[in-house]
Amino acid sequence: MEPIFRRSPLALAILGLLENGPLHPYGIQRLIKQWGKDQVVNVGQRTSLYRMIVRLEEAGLIAVGDTERDERYPERTTYQLTDRGRAASRAWLAEIVSTPRNEFPEFPAALSFIMLLTPEAAAGLFEERREQLTRRIDSLDADLASEYEGAPVPRVVLVETEYQKAITVAELHWIDGLLDDLRSGALSWEAALRPSQTTIDQAMA
């Protein structure tokens, strides 16, 4: 029975990078960082990358290639994309690009329990987040204006950065509106969310 492989951003990145030819794990990790893909792909520690490579090989999506030998480095095993891996990456791309998915990020989960803080404390934390969002937009703008060998980086290489900026700008505008409401008192919850005895009894039933 063939192993069932669950896709992930890291798996997609590995398959995508191997489109250009065989690579060893260090080369894959270096390209992920060099091409800025670490902004959208959580590589984590090198062991995470190696574990993912092993899983992809076991699933038949990549295969062991040659062994690189260089007196300056230990022997390095290269990996190459298989036909199955190429087909899988195309299928993943088609589904991910065409179909919105609830990915359960942490921030909305925290917002769902913001009433555990006072409105004043929440406002202070939102102000901190606003400052960090502003700095992130500046960083993304710098990435979008980057050059390679004296020429602008092709837009297609930066579309994920464009998306990140659009999402970050939208969040910044939303935070601004939320802060305005908190400061004016239009948004408050301390009195409204005091649980009644009936609510408590229902939860314990």
Side-chain angles (χ1 to χ4, degrees):
M1 185 175 179
E2 294 181 353
I4 298 174
F5 193 92
R6 185 175 179 180
R7 71 170 190 247
S8 72
L10 180 55
L12 179 60
I14 293 170
L15 297 185
L17 291 172
L18 291 178
E19 286 277 353
N20 293 321
L23 289 167
H24 51 70
Y26 175 74
I28 293 172
Q29 184 181 40
R30 184 180 60 192
L31 283 179
I32 287 176
K33 186 171 183 178
Q34 183 179 334
W35 291 3
K37 304 307 179 186
D38 55 336
Q39 298 294 316
V40 293
V41 176
N42 184 12
V43 180
Q45 298 179 343
R46 188 175 297 181
T47 53
S48 301
L49 177 65
Y50 279 94
R51 283 198 296 268
M52 181 60 70
I53 287 173
V54 169
R55 290 181 54 214
L56 288 167
E57 183 190 358
E58 290 175 345
L61 303 182
I62 64 174
V64 173
D66 297 328
T67 299
E68 290 186 356
R69 292 176 174 82
D70 188 317
E71 60 183 16
R72 297 171 298 174
Y73 306 105
E75 289 186 353
R76 292 173 170 175
T77 300
T78 63
Y79 294 85
Q80 58 193 24
L81 191 63
T82 65
D83 290 339
R84 184 184 299 176
R86 185 172 289 104
S89 68
R90 299 300 189 276
W92 295 351
L93 280 170
E95 185 175 352
I96 294 169
V97 172
S98 65
T99 309
R101 179 184 176 193
N102 189 354
E103 297 176 352
F104 302 103
E106 287 184 337
F107 185 49
L111 289 175
S112 72
F113 289 98
I114 198 66
M115 76 289 294
L116 299 178
L117 305 173
T118 64
E120 294 76 18
L125 295 173
F126 285 129
E127 287 169 355
E128 290 183 25
R129 188 176 185 92
R130 187 192 186 286
E131 292 176 3
Q132 294 190 45
L133 290 171
T134 300
R135 290 195 293 270
R136 179 158 176 74
I137 291 170
D138 290 340
S139 175
L140 291 169
D141 280 335
D143 290 341
L144 290 170
S146 60
E147 296 184 349
Y148 180 72
E149 295 183 350
V153 175
R155 183 182 178 190
V156 68
V157 179
L158 298 171
V159 287
E160 75 272 23
T161 307
E162 287 186 7
Y163 172 78
Q164 287 182 296
K165 180 184 175 182
I167 295 299
T168 307
V169 168
E171 183 181 331
L172 179 61
H173 289 166
W174 181 79
I175 292 286
D176 283 340
L178 197 68
L179 283 170
D180 287 343
D181 289 342
L182 284 168
R183 291 165 183 151
S184 69
L187 174 62
S188 186
W189 54 80
E190 288 183 300
L193 292 180
R194 290 191 186 119
S196 66
Q197 188 61 46
T198 300
T199 303
I200 294 174
D201 291 342
Q202 290 175 343
M204 296 178 64

